Amino acid sequence: MNNLANCFFPRLLGLLIVSAIHSSASAQLTATPGEGFQGIWYEISGGGGNYPNKYGGGLATYPQQIAPMGVYSPIDDRTYFAFNMDINPGPGNNIGHAISYFDHQSGLVARPQVWLDKQTGDAHDAPVLALDGDGYLYLFSNSHGDSRESFIHRSASPGVIDTFVSLLDSSSSADMDVFGNPPGNPGQTGVPHFSYGSAWYVPNTTEEEKFLFLHTRYNGGRQLYSTSSVDGDTWTERKGLAQIESGQYQKSWIKPDGASVGTIFNVHPTGQGLDWRTDLYYLETSDQAQTWQTADGLTLVDNSGSNNNPLTSRPDGSTDGAALVYDAAPNERVYLKSLNYDSSGNPIIMFLSSPSHIPGDHGDPGPDRFLKTAYWTGGQWEIKDFGTTNHNYDTGAMYVEPDGTWRVIAPFIDGPQQYGTGGEIGVWTSTDQGTNWALAQQLTQGSYYNHTYVQQPLNAQDDFYAFWADGDAWEPSDTHLYFTTKSGEVYHLPYDFPDGADFAQPEPYTTRLPDTPTTIRGTLISASTSGEFANLTLSHAGVDRTFTSEELIGGRLSAFGGKDDGQGGRVADIITEPGSSSAPPPSQRDGLLSDGKIDTVFVNLVSWSVDFDQPIYNQDGPDIVLLDWGSADTVDVTIRGTTIDDMTPATEDVFGESTSNRSRYESDQNDVDTLQALIAATFHFHRTTSGRHTAYLIDLSDFGLAHGAMFAVGEEVMFTDGQGIDPSEVYGVPSLGLPGDFNQDGSVNIADYTVWRNHLGAGYTVEDYQVWKANFGAQLTSSASHSEAAAVPEPMAAWIALTGCLMVSGWVRRRRPPQPPSV
């Protein structure tokens, strides 16, 4: 925070002056802090043929037609980016337009701030960003068609993402004259609309209006329009760019001179439906869309002054210059992918050719979908093959490096949902203007979900070079977001932000486990004669782990709240195993929750707490299991001060059979509301009872613990507001991994120390350092199971890694024995 403050305060006076210039009559609004980088899942379910959808998945950075979703600010050395957040996860998902930033000085990401509840789950309603020369942010919120309202917002101050103002108002005649209905002749009807919008701040244009907004309206088809603005608030008359046949898609990008913008577009042929898209065209403007030229300089659209002369037919004739880039064959579909420029301002286009809009293999030998590039050499368009991919909507970003290298970051490698949208992310490079391409790196692999829609920030910096999302291509799933550095280091943006934190450290990429439900089942030795269970099996992420009661980590009562007797008192009510003629003796009562017997049960506890006789290490999936006698009620769970309300059981019949004719004993006293009172109480027979068992599964990650972090001996789990809960057993789950292996690579080494250091206070504690230190040099063998981790010394590798790191810091002397660093 000190670094950020030092960057900010020297500029304070100047920013206050700038704020006065950007004053607005609109009231200041406050953003809603997001829970984390939780993206939207979305699909178009029709048109998929034999597949569940035409396209779908984690579409937080969809669609490909809009730009930019991220922009670098040299003023404060941050990359700001927007995305479609799921602000109502689950079946009723709902999009919020969220903004965050990556701070290049600290390496932290800001908690995303939601500027708008879009009140839809349609991922076409996506945001784009613009940044003016004073550091103000502008968020343009698109709508799919004319059924929902579109918005423009501006940050309340430069570089601020938690307060903003509205710049578009349906009661403003000036705004409605540009964005109102009807689409072909905007006026005072309805609310503002725009679709597939791209917002460009063009700093070096000679025009007074620095903002250029390219967008689509539905007017008997998708038609392309433009408008410009001095301040992002007052917009010029909207002019048409193309109104050809049944419409167009477009994709635009700003040229390196900072004074011109180019666009590519295709055509929906008349009468063939919107799944048909053919041909490829290019135009550019250097006067904020007053005129549009071809790559060879021929003006095809003159909208200067009062003119409004959009293209109404395909510009593919002999008098249309170089507007036509690619003349598609009959039945060939053309999908837009990316547009960029070489250092001389010559356009480079990436597009895809496909025989059908339907996913899958179309039966003929070989691939069906071909990626191509088009390059304007200064005299002609050169079309070259790039490679293949297996879905029409696989979309990436193209970069042109200072040395002339072309670089593509895209999900063009087959992913886990083959023939679904997206795949694994790769990096391809060409050093000969697209003649030859090489796969330079594969950034993701072994994924459970497809990665989709790589977005390129405007003026991308090396340490935040591209970003995207993942998700199941066929079925609804959580959607997570990622970014990569130019050198190929991939990071996961935190799905859940630490409570109260405004910033978080991005997490090094690891394969995300599938969002399959975690279940538990068990086997009883004999339901009629014994409550002992033979084993419990946890199923998580497609992996089964089976434990006996001796292998689990036993929980013991550390606090006891009793059962409400309905008369203002608290009693103890205990179910016992078959053949018992009395309640369990005092010496056993605090250990009944880990005695391996599911028929020793406390009935209807108001509250209670447990601790454990061994540490529990946070791992993927559940870390603590609560078995309950026959209820499906909710209970509040508190760990380290964080409470999750109304937890429900994950499995409602763990053992598949009932335990019947068990005796219940009730205390003679009605003040049994402490552990000491429970131990001292006397009991009388109450009645017999029967029941089945449910299970509550507790994940320490939900309470802010980082992966591999230790829940120590003596730390408590508190259960409250659970008067329908009858706890019979509470166990910790032994770690499948290795204590101290925070990056999950199978060994405890200096890399884990780095993870701990970077996240200290945000999921890790000083005690976790002691765990790492105690296990330094150990590694996991392939035969290790449950909590077995083979502590195989690796002194040479550890010493090389350790000394290499410490010598940089000047900490190490020659012949110093290898040891982990101290805190």
Side-chain angles (χ1 to χ4, degrees), residues 38 63 106 121 249 287 307 386 429 651 677 705 731 733 746 769:
Q38 303 175 3
S106 66
Y249 282 121
D287 53 16
N307 293 337
F386 173 97
T429 57
T651 302
L705 277 74
Y731 289 105
V733 178
Y769 166 79

Side-chain angles (χ1 to χ4, degrees), residues 312-334:
T312 56
S313 61
R314 302 188 195 188
D316 55 5
S318 59
T319 60
D320 293 319
L324 178 63
V325 177
Y326 183 75
D327 186 8
N331 299 322
E332 181 183 11
R333 273 83 164 173
V334 174

Side-chain angles (χ1 to χ4, degrees), residues 14 19 51-52 160 259 617 760:
S19 295
Y51 292 88
V160 168
Y617 297 95
L760 180 60

Side-chain angles (χ1 to χ4, degrees), residues 101 114 122 185 191 238 305 355 485 497 541 554 630 655 691 695 700 722 785 822:
Y101 61 82
V114 180
D122 186 344
N185 185 24
V191 293
R238 194 183 67 188
T485 66
F497 246 64
F655 297 98
L700 290 174
S785 62
S822 300

Side-chain angles (χ1 to χ4, degrees), residues 13 74 102 203 227 244 279 323 405 418 564 637 668 750 781 798 803:
L13 180 59
F102 176 81
T227 180
I244 305 169
D279 295 346
T405 298
Q418 190 179 30
D564 190 340
V637 182
D668 299 320
I750 197 67
T781 65
T803 55

Side-chain angles (χ1 to χ4, degrees), residues 694-714:
T694 59
Y696 299 74
L697 303 178
I698 299 170
D699 188 342
L700 290 174
S701 297
D702 295 334
F703 296 86
L705 277 74
H707 187 277
M710 179 180 66
F711 188 69
V713 173

Side-chain angles (χ1 to χ4, degrees), residues 557-749:
L557 277 173
S558 57
F560 185 82
K563 167 189 170 183
D564 190 340
D565 68 357
Q567 301 176 15
R570 298 285 179 87
V571 298
D573 190 340
I574 302 177
I575 301 172
T576 63
E577 58 190 315
S580 298
S581 57
S582 63
S587 61
Q588 296 179 7
R589 292 173 190 171
D590 66 346
L592 291 180
L593 296 184
S594 59
D595 62 358
K597 301 173 183 178
I598 63 169
D599 52 5
T600 51
V601 180
F602 293 103
V603 178
N604 292 350
L605 285 189
V606 173
S607 64
W608 75 100
S609 298
V610 298
D611 59 16
F612 298 89
D613 57 8
Q614 298 176 46
I616 301 169
Y617 297 95
N618 184 26
Q619 59 191 316
D620 292 313
D623 303 294
I624 298 171
V625 176
L626 163 65
L627 296 180
D628 174 83
W629 177 280
S631 71
D633 296 301
T634 63
V635 63
D636 299 347
V637 182
T638 301
I639 295 175
R640 290 188 179 176
T642 297
T643 300
I644 294 180
D645 297 326
D646 301 325
M647 183 174 288
T648 57
T651 302
E652 295 196 0
D653 191 359
V654 176
F655 297 98
E657 54 183 325
S658 175
T659 47
S660 58
N661 298 318
R662 270 34 176 191
S663 297
R664 283 176 60 175
Y665 292 87
E666 192 171 82
S667 66
D668 299 320
Q669 297 79 22
N670 66 352
D671 59 352
V672 186
D673 58 359
T674 66
L675 183 57
Q676 292 75 16
L678 169 68
I679 293 172
T682 59
F683 289 81
H684 60 270
F685 177 78
H686 182 43
R687 63 185 176 90
T688 59
T689 188
S690 302
R692 294 177 177 269
H693 283 75
T694 59
Y696 299 74
L697 303 178
I698 299 170
D699 188 342
L700 290 174
S701 297
D702 295 334
F703 296 86
L705 277 74
H707 187 277
M710 179 180 66
F711 188 69
V713 173
E715 288 195 86
E716 288 188 323
V717 181
M718 183 168 63
F719 301 88
T720 54
D721 197 21
Q723 297 188 38
I725 300 295
D726 309 322
S728 64
E729 300 289 292
V730 180
Y731 289 105
V733 178
S735 175
L736 183 63
L738 190 63
D741 182 18
F742 302 137
N743 67 355
Q744 308 172 63
D745 66 353
S747 61
V748 182
N749 51 33

